Amino acid sequence: MISKKSEFENLNFNAKHLNPFHFKEFEDEYLLTNDFGYYKFISPENFEKLLKNDLNKSSELYNELWRKGFLKRDLSKHEPLSEQYRKKKASLFSGPGLHIIVVTLRCNQNCIYCQASAKDLTDKGLDMDIETAERTVNRIFETPNDHITIEFQGGEPLVNWEAVKFIVEYAREKEKETNKEVDFSLVTNLSLLTEERLDFLAEKLVGICTSLDGPEEVHNKNRPYPKGNGYAETVKWIKKYRQKKEEMEKKGKTLTRINSLVTLSKISLDYPEEIINEYLRLNFRGIHLRPLSYLGYSSGNFKDKMGYPVEDFLDFWKESLDYIVEINNLGNYFHERETRIRLRKILIRQDPGYTDLSSPCGAAIGQMLYNYDGDVYTCDEGRMIEDDTFKIGEVKKDSYEDMIGSDTTQAVINCSLLDNFPCRSCVYKPFCGVCPVKNYNNYGNMFPQIKNTGWCKLQKGQFDYIFSKLKDDKYRKVFESWVDYYKD
């Protein structure tokens, strides 16, 4: 039995029977993972036998390790594992599917943590004009992906309603011409929505994603609205959108559920159950608990005053996840979105297309961002940096081929491959990812000492907790219910 690191280092074994895999001591066992996306907990005694090729070859454990690719197979039987690996990397083969359009930098709210560095409503020259909007749509339809999602962001996109309306109508025309499938999502604080605008969005099947930071007191502290009660406006239009969804269903049209994101400031960390209860009260099916990214206005002095250590967020997240699992065990379905994304990778080895947990990340190859002035960036985060480090082109002069083949695109791909970091030996490599933009923003280097970053501490902390709970039947049953929808 291996009880000390020195004993493992001195262990005499032959690896010819093994495929490459990652491992770590995990509580009283070893956790094994491989790049096919499989994992297995194994006792120290069996781990030593595995290394020495002393496992009983007719045992259930041996057969499971063989089936999951930890043990070498005959070449003729490798194809199923190759299919599994391709399934894990599905998003790499289709081209960018998410296209984010910033139609304006202006905004009518003053969120304390604004990552987009939104500007005042009185500022000039910060709206996308119709010519740039048309060229942007043309570039988007040059991309090879047959399923396109156009997401409107800002500032507050409803400030430039004419551009939103034009893009939707023009893209719907292009959809018919090209036989591509287009979805729309409007990311909005809802305060500038009107009945007329809601009717248009519903008829054109434009989904809405808003921000709700919890109960009224927390939301309004995080997201001040100079003209009134931002929380009340948000809740009012959430309810109106759902009413409109029911109307559309009677017409035989399916409007997507309204989605909402919560951003967690230092204020928020004192209210885990209250924030979750607010989402339950408003009949959301889940919540996405995201730490601050410290981009845009949320960097610098804000980070010093309102930021928090990774450990504080992890404590909040663990308490929240425990509470959410308890809710499920009482018979109410409700998920934590990022945990569900991780579980899709862990339990069913599926690529959810989530750029933060991809290697390489989805910047440029999975998503592109088109700024109000026609500049194109690798991703949403890339435009939040004060310089043009992550700019890959301009819609007025560069084709899709120019942008996807740019030096910047290639650099970001290389800088987000986990094989280029010490991460290549981490047990969580098959499920994790890295963000070059955040590395550059936080450390001035796209290749920082990754093990010393807050990002690495966060990922390891969350994966440690999820894997520990997968050993608990109470948690595992709930976790499996969260991914059942995706099994087909």
Side-chain angles (χ1 to χ4, degrees):
M1 173 179 171
I2 304 169
S3 59
K4 296 179 182 179
K5 184 177 180 181
S6 59
E7 292 180 15
F8 171 76
E9 291 173 343
N10 295 325
L11 183 66
N12 182 25
F13 69 94
N14 189 331
K16 289 183 178 180
H17 64 294
L18 299 172
N19 274 327
F21 64 86
H22 319 281
F23 67 92
K24 70 172 286 187
E25 291 185 70
F26 200 101
E27 299 172 354
D28 57 345
E29 298 180 290
Y30 279 86
L31 171 62
L32 280 55
T33 67
N34 61 28
D35 287 341
F36 299 116
Y38 286 101
Y39 79 93
K40 177 64 180 175
F41 287 106
I42 188 170
S43 70
E45 295 91 344
N46 283 328
F47 185 47
E48 182 172 348
K49 289 180 181 179
L50 170 66
L51 297 180
K52 290 182 174 181
N53 200 18
D54 283 343
L55 283 175
N56 182 343
K57 292 180 174 52
S58 62
S59 68
E60 182 178 339
L61 174 61
Y62 184 91
N63 287 324
E64 182 180 358
L65 292 170
W66 184 90
R67 177 174 55 82
K68 290 182 174 182
F70 291 100
L71 297 165
K72 287 186 178 177
R73 299 180 173 190
D74 295 335
L75 288 176
S76 61
K77 298 177 180 178
H78 267 287
E79 186 177 358
L81 284 176
S82 299
E83 291 175 358
Q84 287 288 346
Y85 188 76
R86 186 178 179 88
K87 179 182 175 183
K88 276 185 78 268
K89 300 289 186 179
S91 61
L92 298 179
F93 301 102
S94 55
L98 175 60
H99 299 269
I100 302 170
I101 304 178
V102 178
V103 292
T104 181
L105 286 186
R106 297 187 295 147
C107 188
N108 63 332
Q109 293 192 355
N110 300 317
C111 303
I112 63 174
Y113 47 65
C114 182
Q115 297 177 175
S117 300
K119 307 301 182 184
D120 191 79
L121 287 177
T122 60
D123 289 344
K124 306 294 184 183
L126 301 176
D127 293 352
M128 179 176 282
D129 59 41
I130 299 303
E131 179 187 357
T132 303
E134 182 177 359
R135 289 177 181 268
T136 296
V137 174
N138 290 338
R139 293 293 86 76
I140 289 172
F141 275 85
E142 289 178 3
T143 61
N145 201 316
D146 290 329
H147 191 159
I148 293 168
T149 297
I150 294 177
E151 181 178 292
F152 296 102
Q153 288 199 25
E156 168 50 53
L158 290 177
V159 169
N160 191 4
W161 172 249
E162 290 306 313
V164 171
K165 189 169 180 287
F166 170 81
I167 290 169
V168 171
E169 292 175 331
Y170 184 49
R172 285 294 183 214
E173 292 175 10
K174 298 282 287 184
E175 180 182 35
K176 295 175 184 176
E177 295 172 7
T178 60
N179 291 321
K180 290 179 182 284
E181 183 179 348
V182 183
D183 293 327
F184 293 97
S185 177
L186 177 71
V187 180
T188 170
N189 62 40
L190 297 174
S191 60
L192 296 178
L193 201 56
T194 64
E195 296 288 355
E196 181 182 2
R197 291 176 176 181
L198 181 57
D199 287 342
F200 173 85
L201 296 171
E203 287 296 328
K204 297 296 184 180
L205 301 180
V206 178
I208 286 180
C209 180
T210 191
S211 292
L212 180 70
D213 281 3
E216 184 171 358
E217 179 183 2
V218 177
H219 181 94
N220 287 341
K221 284 182 179 179
N222 281 346
R223 306 178 63 84
Y225 180 35
K227 289 191 175 182
N229 186 327
Y231 167 86
E233 284 293 302
T234 300
V235 172
K236 177 184 76 175
W237 285 107
I238 287 173
K239 294 177 178 178
K240 284 182 176 288
Y241 180 92
R242 287 177 172 157
Q243 291 171 356
K244 182 62 65 175
K245 184 179 186 305
E246 291 179 3
E247 292 175 17
M248 296 300 293
E249 287 174 350
K250 291 178 182 178
K251 296 180 181 180
K253 293 186 176 182
T254 302
L255 195 60
T256 59
R257 289 190 186 96
I258 189 167
N259 291 315
S260 183
L261 293 173
V262 56
T263 302
L264 300 163
S265 71
K266 188 175 183 179
I267 296 168
S268 310
L269 299 190
D270 291 330
Y271 302 94
E273 292 189 10
E274 292 85 349
I275 291 171
I276 293 164
N277 287 341
E278 182 67 19
Y279 271 70
L280 285 166
R281 188 183 72 81
L282 291 171
N283 297 315
F284 284 102
R285 293 170 58 83
I287 190 170
H288 193 166
L289 300 173
R290 306 176 301 158
L292 291 171
S293 294
Y294 304 117
L295 297 167
Y297 290 152
S298 65
S299 61
N301 292 334
F302 173 86
K303 183 178 180 180
D304 296 334
K305 294 178 181 178
M306 294 298 294
Y308 41 79
V310 169
E311 292 79 8
D312 287 2
F313 173 78
L314 282 171
D315 288 343
F316 168 90
W317 175 79
K318 290 175 184 178
E319 182 178 349
S320 299
L321 191 60
D322 290 346
Y323 183 55
I324 291 170
V325 169
E326 181 182 331
I327 289 166
N328 281 261
N329 282 321
L330 291 174
N332 303 300
Y333 177 90
F334 189 82
H335 66 263
E336 199 284 305
R337 181 172 176 262
E338 185 146 338
T339 301
R340 186 173 69 165
I341 290 169
R342 294 170 191 267
L343 290 168
R344 285 172 63 185
K345 295 172 75 90
I346 295 167
L347 295 180
I348 57 176
R349 300 168 304 287
Q350 189 178 79
D351 180 3
Y354 187 59
T355 59
D356 284 2
L357 295 176
S358 298
S359 173
C361 74
I365 57 176
Q367 66 167 279
M368 289 184 175
L369 179 131
Y370 308 80
N371 214 4
Y372 73 97
D373 56 2
D375 288 348
V376 185
Y377 292 82
T378 55
C379 54
D380 190 21
E381 289 80 6
R383 61 104 177 200
M384 297 175 183
I385 303 297
E386 292 184 356
D387 57 42
D388 286 338
T389 298
F390 297 94
K391 178 180 171 180
I392 58 175
E394 301 175 25
V395 297
K396 296 177 182 178
K397 68 176 186 179
D398 297 308
S399 68
Y400 165 74
E401 294 293 338
D402 294 331
M403 295 185 288
I404 199 65
S406 71
D407 290 343
T408 300
T409 297
Q410 305 309 310
V412 169
I413 291 171
N414 286 327
C415 291
S416 62
L417 281 168
L418 294 184
D419 301 87
N420 291 335
F421 289 91
C423 310
R424 63 182 175 271
S425 60
C426 178
V427 74
Y428 299 130
K429 173 182 176 279
F431 318 110
C432 199
V434 68
C435 178
V437 178
K438 292 174 183 174
N439 285 340
Y440 178 79
N441 179 75
N442 296 334
Y443 306 102
N445 185 348
M446 284 185 267
F447 281 104
Q449 293 182 335
I450 197 73
K451 290 185 177 181
N452 296 327
T453 65
W455 173 266
C456 185
K457 292 176 184 176
L458 174 64
Q459 304 312 314
K460 285 184 176 178
Q462 291 185 299
F463 278 120
D464 278 347
Y465 201 66
I466 289 171
F467 273 98
S468 72
K469 295 306 181 184
L470 281 171
K471 300 170 71 175
D472 184 328
D473 288 342
K474 181 181 72 171
Y475 280 78
R476 187 180 179 89
K477 182 178 179 181
V478 171
F479 288 167
E480 288 175 342
S481 75
W482 291 359
V483 299
D484 273 348
Y485 174 82
Y486 296 99
K487 283 187 177 178
D488 296 333

